Amino acid sequence: MKTRLVPADHDWMTAPATRRVMAALDAAAPGGARFVGGCVRNALLGEPVADIDIATVLEPQAAKAALEAAGIAVHPTGIAHGTLTAVADHTPFEVTTLRRDVSTDGRRATVAFTTDWAEDAARRDFRLNALYADMSGEIFDPAGGLADIPGRRIVFIGRAEDRIAEDYLRILRFFRFLARYGRGAPDADAIRACTAMTDGLARLSAERVWMETRKLLAAPDPVAAMEWMAKTGVTRALFGENGDLLRLARLVALGCGDPLVRLSAWQGDNAPRLIRPMKMSNEEAGRVRQLADADLSALLADSWPTRAALEKLVYRHGNQPVADQLFLLFSRQAEPPEGWGGAIAHALSFAPPVFPVSGDDLRAAGIPPGPEMGETLRRLEDAWVDSRFRLAKDQLLSQV
């Protein structure tokens, strides 16, 4: 019996934009375009579909011509490797020519185009990522991925060692997919290969490692997969130390899904040291440094139970930094204290008022610009904050 997706059950298949793109490719090569990878996998697993990838027998220029003839915008996002981005009705579709590997070096591959679906499947990483579907919903399964869907098994195509040797990032991808989609004990062959081949991780670019790590940390519950990462030696090879998985597990239980907060709980004092090696963005680096703010952490540990103390800290440091530090504080405790949820909610929602006194007000009161004015402004602001922002402007100026 053939396995099918039922298009009527999947909006991404029945959307007009999808039909336009597939019809344009089919007009140039009948039957030569199929959905592939994550959209098919997620539909079979009952997971949300975010990105739609399409594989085609058409070579890039022919695919581009077919799409543009149908009035669909095309961007050559990776045309040397056969990938175009088609945009129909403001929806992007990644369209890639079938490929086979000519050579690999553990980081990148030289590819040649093919019309053989089995060759295209053979160069992919995991069996459940090498599933194809046509517009009728019929599944094409050259690598045997359908067998892995019911048990949510993450299994390399062919020999795990061969797939990893083609791109050592697949070690980290294995654990990321295990965390996001896997269930039960991991595939034993994959674990043996990951353990034996950790030395190859040193060949990877920092950007690729951080991209995969951030996705891994964003999985609903990555702890079990990351325990296997530690057992295989992958964590230490990539980050220098295994980190604190107990704190990470507590964060998961608290409902914190932010990958940067999770990184900071997991790696602790090591997290800021990863900023440069991982080549984090300026925004990410700023957050990681903020999460390592020992002064704010100490203030929270001393004062968080009162709403007034939280409001002061939010005024001085901002909503997100205070909420982040509360998550980190509670992750150090075996059981979160009573009221922890309300404290985080208040830290995120409290909107501090604007300090009502300005330098112009003090100048009008006879205080000239300079150190005295700055000191007076700081004194009045402290008094206003201590009053829980209740002192009015005239009350503050009466203290000048």
Side-chain angles (χ1 to χ4, degrees):
M1 181 183 294
K2 292 180 178 178
T3 301
R4 290 184 178 275
L5 300 177
V6 180
D9 294 339
H10 301 288
D11 293 343
W12 60 273
M13 290 183 72
T14 58
T18 306
R19 294 187 176 279
R20 281 184 65 201
V21 171
M22 291 294 279
L25 296 170
D26 190 64
R34 294 171 180 167
F35 303 111
V36 66
C39 56
V40 181
R41 176 199 66 223
N42 283 21
L44 289 166
L45 290 173
E47 299 273 354
V49 171
D51 301 315
I52 304 174
D53 292 348
I54 298 168
T56 178
V57 298
L58 292 170
E59 293 201 4
Q61 291 301 335
K64 182 175 184 290
L67 292 163
E68 289 178 339
I72 296 168
V74 179
H75 305 281
T77 45
I79 197 165
H81 289 85
T83 300
L84 307 167
T85 299
V87 181
D89 303 337
H90 307 290
T91 303
F93 299 81
E94 193 168 274
V95 179
T96 303
T97 303
L98 301 188
R99 300 175 291 185
R100 60 181 175 84
D101 286 341
V102 174
S103 64
T104 59
D105 64 4
R107 290 184 62 180
R108 60 182 68 84
T110 301
V111 300
F113 302 132
T114 181
T115 58
D116 187 327
W117 295 91
E119 280 191 321
D120 186 74
R123 71 175 302 277
R124 295 178 183 269
D125 47 13
F126 311 117
R127 298 191 314 202
L128 48 60
N129 285 345
L131 294 165
Y132 304 78
D134 64 17
M135 275 299 291
S136 74
E138 183 176 347
I139 300 294
F140 299 86
D141 182 21
L146 276 173
D148 299 329
I149 293 293
R152 289 175 170 258
R153 298 175 66 235
I154 313 302
V155 183
F156 282 100
I157 294 169
R159 290 182 72 249
E161 291 85 352
D162 293 342
R163 299 291 77 74
I164 291 171
E166 291 165 354
D167 184 352
Y168 284 95
L169 191 69
R170 286 173 172 170
I171 293 177
L172 191 49
R173 280 175 61 81
F174 171 76
F175 293 105
R176 198 247 295 180
F177 274 80
L178 187 65
R180 179 65 182 84
Y181 299 109
R183 182 183 295 157
D187 179 67
D189 289 339
I191 292 295
R192 279 193 292 271
C194 290
T195 303
M197 302 179 76
T198 53
D199 287 351
L201 293 168
R203 303 186 189 185
L204 298 174
S205 71
E207 294 91 341
R208 297 180 78 210
V209 170
W210 173 235
M211 177 182 70
E212 283 295 326
T213 302
R214 182 167 182 144
K215 290 178 181 178
L216 169 64
L217 287 166
D221 185 353
V223 176
M226 292 173 71
E227 287 175 347
W228 281 103
M229 274 179 63
K231 290 176 184 176
T232 56
V234 170
T235 307
R236 190 170 294 279
L238 287 173
F239 306 105
E241 56 184 67
N242 284 332
D244 190 337
L245 286 171
L246 178 58
R247 281 193 71 195
L248 179 61
R250 289 171 180 163
L251 265 190
V252 171
L254 290 168
C256 175
D258 187 302
L260 294 176
V261 180
R262 288 180 169 186
L263 174 75
S264 296
W266 171 47
Q267 285 291 311
D269 292 340
N270 193 42
R273 292 194 286 270
L274 296 173
I275 290 171
R276 182 169 293 179
M278 294 289 105
K279 296 188 178 179
M280 295 182 189
S281 70
N282 290 338
E283 180 182 355
E284 292 166 341
R287 290 240 7 242
V288 171
R289 291 190 184 101
Q290 207 168 51
L291 284 157
D293 185 341
D295 292 339
L296 177 54
S297 178
L299 287 170
L300 274 170
D302 290 341
S303 61
W304 81 266
T306 71
R307 291 170 72 90
L310 279 183
E311 289 167 3
K312 284 185 184 182
L313 291 173
V314 168
Y315 178 76
R316 300 294 188 188
H317 300 276
N319 297 87
Q320 194 66 57
V322 172
D324 289 346
Q325 287 292 344
L326 284 171
F327 271 123
L328 291 178
L329 174 66
F330 301 147
S331 74
R332 296 187 185 97
Q333 304 173 29
E335 293 290 336
E338 184 178 354
W340 70 269
I344 291 172
H346 190 59
L348 287 170
S349 63
F350 176 65
V354 177
F355 180 48
V357 177
S358 69
D360 289 341
D361 296 319
L362 295 186
R363 190 178 297 108
I367 298 177
E372 182 185 357
M373 177 180 284
E375 177 56 36
T376 303
L377 277 173
R378 282 190 291 274
R379 177 174 59 79
L380 295 180
E381 186 178 33
D382 288 343
W384 177 69
V385 171
D386 286 341
S387 77
R388 292 192 72 178
F389 316 102
R390 289 172 180 152
L391 287 174
K393 182 175 182 176
D394 58 344
Q395 292 174 300
L396 290 166
L397 291 174
S398 69
Q399 300 179 28
V400 174

